[in-house]
Amino acid sequence: MRLRHKINGEDNFGVQSQKDVLEIVNTFTGALTLMLAALMLAAIAGISLLVGGISVINMMLT
């Protein structure tokens, strides 16, 4: 690669294999999955609190 691009001196480029790229993608998708799971749990908890609050208000008003 150095000869083809006529580069002298220090390397100013990097080479990545598909294995390296796959590791990065797996790390990203793992983090994204974890965030999505946390968001889903928060949404379920929020809906549960809302339904519980409505039930308490309904009991107090009757």
Side-chain angles (χ1 to χ4, degrees):
M1 185 176 257
R2 293 173 134 264
L3 294 174
R4 183 182 304 162
H5 294 281
K6 299 175 185 166
I7 297 172
N8 295 325
E10 294 184 30
D11 294 339
N12 62 354
F13 58 88
V15 178
Q16 291 182 339
S17 67
Q18 287 182 344
K19 184 178 178 182
D20 295 335
V21 174
L22 185 62
E23 286 179 16
I24 293 169
V25 169
N26 284 339
T27 302
F28 178 73
T29 54
L32 192 60
T33 302
L34 185 62
M35 287 188 342
L36 183 62
L39 183 63
M40 290 298 293
L41 286 175
I44 291 171
I47 292 170
S48 298
L49 287 172
L50 181 67
V51 169
I54 290 172
S55 298
V56 169
I57 290 172
N58 199 12
M59 286 179 166
M60 291 172 63
L61 293 176
T62 56

